[in-house]
Amino acid sequence: MECFRMIFQYFQSNSESVMNGICGLLALASVKMYTSFDFSCPCLPRYNMAYGLGIMFVPPIALFFCSLLLNRQSLVMLEEWRRPQGRRKKDLAVIRYMCSSILQRAMVAPVVWVIVTLLDGKCLICAFSSSVDPENFVGFANASPVQVQQLLAKVPCKDDELMRNNTSRKAVSRYLRCWSQALGWSILLILIVAAFLARWLRPCFKQATLLQARHWSNYIDIEQKIFEETCCEHSRLFAHKCILHFFENMQQEIKQHSFNLPREEEGAEGEEDLLRGITDQGQVNKLLKMWYYEKPPL
Amino acid sequence: MDKFRMIFQFLQSNQESFMNGICGIMALASAQMYSAFDFNCPCLPHYNLAYGLGILLVPPFILFLLGFVLNNNVSMLAEEWRRPLGQRGKDPSVLRYMFCSMAQRAMIAPVVWVSVTLLDGKCITCAFCTSVPVETLGNASHSGLSQGEIKRVLARIPCKEIYDGQELIANEVAVRYLRCISQALGWCFVLLMTTLAFLVRSLRPCFTQAAFLKSRYWSHYIDIERKLFDEMCAEHARSFAKVCIQQFFEGMSTDLAATRCHPPRKAPADVREAAEKLLGITDQATMNTALKSWHRCKPPLHLHPPAIPSGNGWAGEEQPPVHPPVPRRETAAYYSRV
């Protein structure tokens, strides 16, 4: 019992670590999806570029939306942004902080996909094989332009009958892969340096504002969770009372005296406290509406 | 008892994460089912399209229905929808909320099936191999075959072992082309679904948050009320059985005592307690009446001490509260247990 309460409290207070965990899982899922995806370049002149760039950019967008969906805090932030002001002012710094932390976490899985794609090289080879300068490669230098386009488009397909033993194909492939990997490592390096600088230089600017924003964003998150918990408990007690009243009515109808009533009164006092005077549907609806339209001031 | 209450509370307040876990499992099951399925394209002109599209669309429909069947809340929704009005009105927004949340969860496994099928490419290759543009990719005029013959040859593209149209169009070229189209469709489908889900989720706080809070509360309430009622009935049945059996043995021992002049023993304490828990319902007819009445005429959502039903229903939204509301509600909103 204590154990459950402690786990509950841990998750409540450490929503950041839960979000980091989800972020990591999505990054791993992104890598797994890429390795299990069967990349098959069409090897046709105009289709290559569309396919290659599509595989590089469309899944990251889907992963980005997925990360936003799985992150509970994005919903909390939207609710905080759109709520009516009521008696509690809105602090834009808090909303900005929440937004930036959500976006940073949502960007991890797409960036992982793009980097893995570049380091692997297949996408770039597929997309840009037709754009290579044929003069640099012996096998393609002496063909007509149309033929060159057709041949270059087939470079990504190793098993194609025209390309099977073509050494120039391997040269083009290696060339493009080299560029792809260089691009991948450069992007990785730039991102890591940027993250490092952001982390180190942050305390130099507006640290106090940051601490406040972080505190109040945690507060909003916890407040939301506790409200839901309290609502659940309230509805449980409401149901309990409702059913007991139902049985009492039955007793009255069949005109038998219930000798349980005195004991119920004592238990009911403790539960009355927990019901907090909210004992009918209209009051509950009003409570929920008030909670939304006029959150209490801090 | 307190321990069960804590677990109950934890599951209830984390019902979303519990249901999300089930969705994840169904999604994985769907992907696993697809990889275990042995796809066998018939490689005949008209059958290919039927088979390919059938495998693409029929299993998702079955998975969608299965998602509803496996969801415990379906019977709760049906019960709430079909119950007589009685003293408690019906709120269509609560029913809509329950249906929408069930439908959203049931959609996940079909969407995963369709995505995996499209990204794999076998279905589309099988279904549309007769529609490959032979003029651009192969040599249509060169072969001199009739249209029907060409279709028959193209239909064999998915079956590499029996394919005999290398002069018409190379097998690898056609397969790569169809697979590229299939994968492009697959990723577009995935993007469309995630964008839709994101929009649905993020537009809700902008428009209907208050109504949403209300519907969510009352749908949880209906679920909890049903479970609590079942619990209480089970407890009642237990007490009923205890008292019944005790009375039987008392009856037996009274008969025996009458023949042997022994005084009947006093009922043990726990049976007295059980008798108290019976809430005054002590025979079958009364219990049947209680259960019938629970279904036909649920009590109003109004807990004030005068136990006479006052007819507040779901429809009555703006009932003035009996107690002075403001100070108590403030206490409720501020009270924190952390």
Side-chain angles (χ1 to χ4, degrees):
Chain A
M1 185 186 15
E2 256 330 287
C3 169
F4 279 119
R5 187 186 279 277
M6 283 186 60
I7 293 177
F8 212 20
Q9 282 184 345
Y10 175 76
F11 273 112
Q12 276 180 355
S13 61
N14 253 352
S15 60
E16 266 210 25
S17 55
V18 169
M19 283 190 309
N20 286 344
I22 291 184
C23 181
L25 274 173
L26 263 181
L28 285 173
S30 165
V31 173
K32 180 81 183 126
M33 253 167 66
Y34 182 79
T35 48
S36 53
F37 176 63
D38 192 8
F39 187 90
S40 94
C41 194
C43 294
L44 297 164
R46 281 179 299 276
Y47 288 71
N48 277 6
M49 172 89 75
Y51 185 82
L53 292 182
I55 297 295
M56 196 150 80
F57 293 120
V58 167
I61 300 177
L63 283 168
F64 179 72
F65 284 133
C66 242
S67 313
L68 289 177
L69 275 172
L70 291 176
N71 193 346
R72 215 184 132 266
Q73 222 195 23
S74 58
L75 212 61
V76 170
M77 183 209 77
L78 273 172
E79 281 169 16
E80 175 65 17
W81 183 38
R82 298 300 300 172
R83 70 171 168 91
Q85 182 130 329
R87 294 191 323 209
R88 185 190 287 183
K89 282 205 267 293
K90 281 202 261 199
D91 188 357
L92 283 178
V94 172
I95 296 176
R96 264 199 312 264
Y97 173 84
M98 285 170 86
C99 194
S100 82
S101 94
I102 290 164
L103 284 177
Q104 280 168 29
R105 286 192 173 93
M107 288 295 284
V108 171
V111 161
V112 165
W113 176 279
V114 169
I115 289 181
V116 168
T117 306
L118 286 173
L119 293 180
D120 188 36
K122 286 192 286 231
C123 273
L124 235 64
I125 294 175
C126 184
F128 293 107
S129 64
S130 315
S131 320
V132 156
D133 185 5
E135 302 298 320
N136 298 335
F137 301 97
V138 171
F140 302 120
N142 300 324
S144 70
V146 173
Q147 250 185 337
V148 154
Q149 282 302 309
Q150 293 273 349
L151 285 174
L152 282 175
K154 288 198 194 292
V155 159
C157 299
K158 285 193 269 256
D159 301 322
D160 192 84
E161 49 197 353
L162 289 171
M163 288 283 139
R164 215 159 278 168
N165 296 316
N166 194 330
T167 43
S168 305
R169 178 201 70 80
K170 290 184 197 150
V172 173
S173 181
R174 270 200 307 266
Y175 173 76
L176 286 169
R177 187 174 257 152
C178 158
W179 269 106
S180 171
Q181 289 180 342
L183 197 61
W185 284 116
S186 313
I187 291 178
L188 189 61
L189 183 67
I190 291 173
L191 284 174
I192 291 182
V193 167
F196 175 78
L197 284 174
R199 260 269 158 106
W200 272 81
L201 295 178
R202 199 171 52 185
C204 306
F205 302 101
K206 298 198 230 170
Q207 178 71 347
T209 324
L210 181 73
L211 286 175
Q212 278 174 16
R214 194 163 69 178
H215 175 269
W216 290 114
S217 79
N218 266 345
Y219 171 80
I220 292 169
D221 195 20
I222 290 176
E223 190 190 48
Q224 171 91 311
K225 281 191 196 123
I226 293 180
F227 180 72
E228 282 170 15
E229 224 184 274
T230 314
C231 276
C232 269
E233 202 177 306
H234 187 273
S235 73
R236 197 193 76 85
L237 290 164
F238 201 117
H240 189 61
K241 285 290 219 179
C242 203
I243 295 169
L244 281 179
H245 278 200
F246 170 76
F247 279 110
E248 278 170 25
N249 287 346
M250 287 297 304
Q251 290 167 28
Q252 284 186 2
E253 278 173 26
I254 60 178
K255 293 200 176 21
Q256 279 185 22
H257 179 65
S258 166
F259 41 87
N260 208 21
L261 271 174
R263 238 197 6 200
E264 260 171 35
E265 286 299 330
E266 291 162 23
E269 269 172 26
E271 291 185 340
E272 280 282 339
D273 278 342
L274 294 172
L275 276 177
R276 300 178 182 97
I278 295 160
T279 50
D280 77 41
Q281 186 200 4
Q283 286 179 346
V284 171
N285 285 345
K286 223 166 185 176
L287 169 88
L288 293 171
K289 221 193 250 182
M290 277 286 279
W291 178 258
Y292 175 65
Y293 281 109
E294 277 189 29
K295 282 213 162 71
L298 293 165
Chain B
M1 207 47 219
D2 203 29
K3 182 169 87 165
F4 286 120
R5 214 180 77 163
M6 289 266 342
I7 296 177
F8 195 42
Q9 208 175 322
F10 180 73
L11 276 179
Q12 281 299 328
S13 62
N14 264 344
Q15 200 181 45
E16 263 216 29
S17 51
F18 179 68
M19 291 306 297
N20 287 344
I22 293 201
C23 286
I25 289 175
M26 276 201 72
L28 285 173
S30 170
Q32 184 59 28
M33 251 169 68
Y34 180 79
S35 47
F37 175 65
D38 189 15
F39 188 88
N40 258 317
C41 194
C43 294
L44 297 164
H46 301 290
Y47 289 70
N48 277 5
L49 188 68
Y51 185 84
L53 290 183
I55 297 295
L56 182 65
L57 299 172
V58 169
F61 182 67
I62 295 175
L63 285 169
F64 181 69
L65 290 177
L66 203 68
F68 270 106
V69 163
L70 292 179
N71 194 339
N72 287 335
N73 292 342
V74 160
S75 58
M76 181 176 84
L77 172 65
E79 220 179 271
E80 177 64 16
W81 185 35
R82 299 301 300 166
R83 71 170 168 90
L85 230 74
Q87 295 170 7
R88 188 191 285 184
K90 281 201 255 201
D91 190 356
S93 71
V94 173
L95 292 170
R96 262 199 314 266
Y97 170 82
M98 283 161 66
F99 180 74
C100 280
S101 84
M102 280 191 282
Q104 280 170 21
R105 293 201 165 92
M107 286 284 283
I108 292 188
V111 162
V112 167
W113 176 279
V114 172
S115 312
V116 170
T117 305
L118 288 174
L119 291 176
D120 188 36
K122 286 194 286 234
C123 273
I124 297 286
T125 306
C126 183
F128 295 106
C129 53
T130 47
S131 319
V132 166
V134 190
E135 304 78 27
T136 39
L137 298 177
N139 316 310
S141 44
H142 189 267
S143 58
L145 294 166
S146 70
Q147 283 292 69
E149 278 291 318
I150 290 180
K151 285 240 177 308
R152 229 191 322 268
V153 168
L154 288 177
R156 295 209 191 112
I157 286 175
C159 305
K160 288 194 188 52
E161 318 83 50
I162 58 171
Y163 185 63
D164 54 355
Q166 282 296 113
E167 313 83 47
L168 180 61
I169 178 172
N171 189 293
E172 303 84 36
V173 171
V175 165
R176 274 198 307 256
Y177 175 79
L178 288 165
R179 211 174 205 189
C180 155
I181 304 261
S182 174
Q183 287 178 344
L185 274 174
W187 282 117
C188 290
F189 179 75
V190 167
L191 183 64
L192 184 71
M193 288 289 124
T194 42
T195 314
L196 260 173
F198 174 72
L199 282 175
V200 162
R201 214 160 184 214
S202 56
L203 290 181
R204 199 235 308 138
C206 305
F207 295 108
T208 52
Q209 184 69 353
F212 168 76
L213 285 176
K214 195 179 78 156
S215 312
R216 191 173 64 174
Y217 179 88
W218 289 116
S219 83
H220 282 170
Y221 172 81
I222 293 170
D223 189 23
I224 290 176
E225 190 189 50
R226 197 171 73 133
K227 288 190 184 115
L228 264 179
F229 185 74
D230 288 343
E231 245 176 66
M232 285 187 76
C233 281
E235 216 178 287
H236 188 276
R238 205 180 133 76
S239 310
F240 203 114
K242 230 178 186 172
V243 172
C244 203
I245 293 168
Q246 180 64 22
Q247 282 175 356
F248 168 73
F249 278 108
E250 266 173 9
M252 292 284 300
S253 77
T254 314
D255 288 346
L256 288 174
T259 56
R260 291 182 203 170
C261 303
H262 287 174
R265 266 177 295 174
K266 203 161 170 255
D270 63 338
V271 178
R272 273 204 303 279
E273 207 181 288
E276 284 170 4
K277 283 193 188 151
L278 284 177
L279 303 171
I281 296 173
T282 48
D283 67 68
Q284 183 189 22
T286 319
M287 191 67 214
N288 286 345
T289 314
L291 292 172
K292 215 191 270 183
S293 175
W294 179 256
H295 173 66
R296 290 240 175 90
C297 189
K298 281 214 160 73
L301 295 163
H302 195 284
L303 294 182
H304 291 289
I308 301 156
S310 57
N312 282 350
W314 289 103
E317 295 222 351
E318 299 299 331
Q319 299 292 329
V322 177
H323 301 286
V326 174
R328 282 207 176 179
R329 241 186 270 117
E330 273 190 337
T331 315
Y334 280 125
Y335 185 53
S336 167
R337 283 159 155 234
V338 174

